[in-house]
Amino acid sequence: MGLSLTGCERGKEADALFTTYQQRLATALDASPPTPASPTNIPAFPDADDRLFELPDIREGMLDMYALRECRIGVLVANRNNQLGKVAAPSQRWLYELKLWRRLEACTNSDVAQQLDDEDRQRLERLTRTKAERMPMASWNALFSSEEWVGSFSRASGPLPPDALAIPTEALAALHYLRTMTTRQLDTDWQPDSATLEQHLKTLREAPLTAQVLRSLQLASLRLEEANRLYAAAETTTSCPLVDVSRLDTVKDYVENELHSYLGGLSRLAGTWLGAVEALLNAQQVDREAITEYRHRWLSLNNPTAPWQRYLNARDTHRRHWLRLLRLCSNDKAT
């Protein structure tokens, strides 16, 4: 509970920055500041039944498996089916699937396969082919059932405060590694590493960054839209809308030293992070409808109603209003 409350308090720092700006702007325009509305939270991530693929176990008889003993898959399968294997983390189940397919693939192309009778050789080839065909769904399930990935979309998160907008290089490296594992999982020249994978997942576990970015964009868009309406109401003439031109300095100082700094940091972070998330999701060879809909509504870089494009529109509209105010009320030549 203490950690949760701390997160909420830090989330209020960004909102305070915007509401302070709105109040200063309203005072300069001799208008009433807007009553801040509550930004919409992100929706719950799709349920497991809607986001995961059903992959029934492949059943083979003991004698059939014994015939393939030279492929060295017996211990691997046994470990997967024991008590610890059944409760293994999604990342470890993915590594198991990768290791099993690689051993089957190597066995299929070895002298061992040539020494099998026709029925066992066909069984080996069928298992190898089936595992390869199911791998995209297995890797999808590994990602979308992991607590690290699902936790990144936690609705219990808040907007990022002004001091937390640095580019998350370690988290980006984690997304890059997951994308590499996905795109090269059937490439026998590339070897996944368990320790590296778990370290990257640990990094993602440290913060629900996707949700924080989306919540930040939602908040910034809403507050900028409220400020833009203040500007629009004041822009009824071609003259300076300020009752007292000297009031511009107070607003200008805040915009240049506080607001623009936050918006610049948020733009860099959100664009970089959502781009990396999109790259990881584009690497998947399969998808589920619930995730496709969630991506379009919340993660898309192109959908005009998604948080990113809504934010860009509010930010650019605000910039036009601000430059007009500077042009009419000062001698500054802003670029």
Side-chain angles (χ1 to χ4, degrees):
M1 179 63 74
L3 291 175
S4 176
L5 290 175
T6 299
C8 291
E9 289 300 319
R10 285 178 61 81
K12 290 182 178 179
E13 295 175 17
D15 202 8
L17 182 150
F18 284 109
T19 55
T20 298
Y21 168 60
Q22 290 179 347
Q23 291 164 0
R24 293 194 180 193
L25 177 62
T27 299
L29 294 172
D30 198 23
S32 299
T35 300
S38 297
T40 303
N41 196 357
I42 62 175
F45 208 52
D47 292 336
D49 289 345
D50 295 323
R51 68 175 186 267
L52 302 180
F53 289 94
E54 183 177 357
L55 289 176
D57 291 336
I58 299 175
R59 302 288 182 178
E60 295 290 342
M62 291 294 293
L63 291 178
D64 297 330
M65 291 299 296
Y66 182 75
L68 303 180
R69 62 191 181 278
E70 296 299 326
C71 293
R72 300 186 301 111
I73 63 174
V75 174
L76 191 61
V77 173
N79 289 339
R80 167 65 177 83
N81 292 329
N82 66 25
Q83 198 66 26
L84 290 177
K86 292 179 180 179
V87 297
S91 57
Q92 293 303 308
R93 292 199 295 271
W94 186 12
L95 290 172
Y96 159 79
E97 292 291 342
L98 287 171
K99 186 177 292 186
L100 178 58
W101 173 78
R102 285 165 187 252
R103 288 192 182 179
L104 289 169
E105 175 71 9
C107 193
T108 300
N109 295 292
S110 72
D111 293 339
V112 172
Q114 304 307 314
Q115 298 169 8
L116 298 172
D117 61 32
D118 290 344
E119 183 177 357
D120 288 331
R121 185 168 56 256
Q122 290 173 7
R123 179 177 295 105
L124 172 61
E125 292 171 351
R126 174 174 52 80
L127 281 173
T128 305
R129 183 174 59 253
T130 300
K131 282 295 182 180
E133 292 171 348
R134 287 166 49 132
M135 194 61 69
M137 290 180 285
S139 59
W140 172 281
N141 283 358
L143 177 64
F144 281 93
S145 62
S146 67
E147 64 177 28
E148 295 84 4
W149 185 245
V150 175
S152 186
F153 298 85
S154 171
R155 301 183 77 239
S157 60
L160 290 162
D163 62 353
L165 298 178
I167 298 298
T169 54
E170 292 185 357
L172 288 170
L175 295 189
H176 178 75
Y177 188 80
L178 289 171
R179 178 160 59 92
T180 300
M181 275 194 66
T182 301
T183 57
R184 302 193 66 180
Q185 57 187 336
L186 297 182
D187 179 359
T188 55
D189 292 331
W190 183 82
Q191 293 296 325
D193 179 72
S194 178
T196 302
L197 174 60
E198 294 304 328
Q199 181 58 47
H200 284 311
L201 292 174
K202 180 182 177 182
T203 298
L204 293 180
R205 193 183 301 121
E206 293 175 356
L209 194 51
T210 306
Q212 290 174 324
V213 166
L214 294 176
R215 296 293 305 272
S216 300
L217 293 175
Q218 290 287 94
L219 174 66
S221 299
L222 183 60
R223 295 292 177 258
L224 288 175
E225 289 163 355
E226 292 167 347
N228 290 341
R229 287 193 288 271
L230 273 179
Y231 279 111
E235 292 174 355
T236 57
T237 68
T238 58
S239 60
C240 177
L242 302 180
V243 176
D244 183 352
V245 176
S246 65
R247 295 180 180 180
L248 177 63
D249 290 338
T250 301
V251 182
K252 181 181 178 183
D253 179 71
Y254 199 81
V255 168
E256 294 182 349
N257 296 316
E258 302 292 339
L259 183 64
H260 283 175
S261 176
Y262 184 84
L263 294 180
L266 178 59
S267 298
R268 288 188 295 272
L269 169 59
T272 301
W273 183 257
L274 292 179
V277 169
E278 182 175 70
L280 172 58
L281 296 180
N282 286 343
Q284 309 299 318
Q285 298 179 31
V286 294
D287 58 47
R288 292 297 307 270
E289 182 178 357
I291 297 299
T292 299
E293 292 177 356
Y294 191 99
R295 286 185 64 183
H296 178 71
R297 176 65 185 86
W298 293 97
L299 302 175
S300 172
L301 296 176
N302 302 311
N303 177 12
T305 63
W308 174 244
Q309 283 295 328
R310 179 192 174 190
Y311 163 74
L312 292 182
N313 181 62
R315 184 201 65 181
D316 294 346
T317 300
H318 174 268
R319 176 175 171 80
R320 289 193 294 271
H321 283 306
W322 174 244
L323 292 179
R324 183 179 187 275
L325 185 68
L326 285 180
R327 186 174 64 252
L328 293 177
C329 300
S330 74
N331 295 321
D332 291 357
K333 301 299 182 182
T335 59

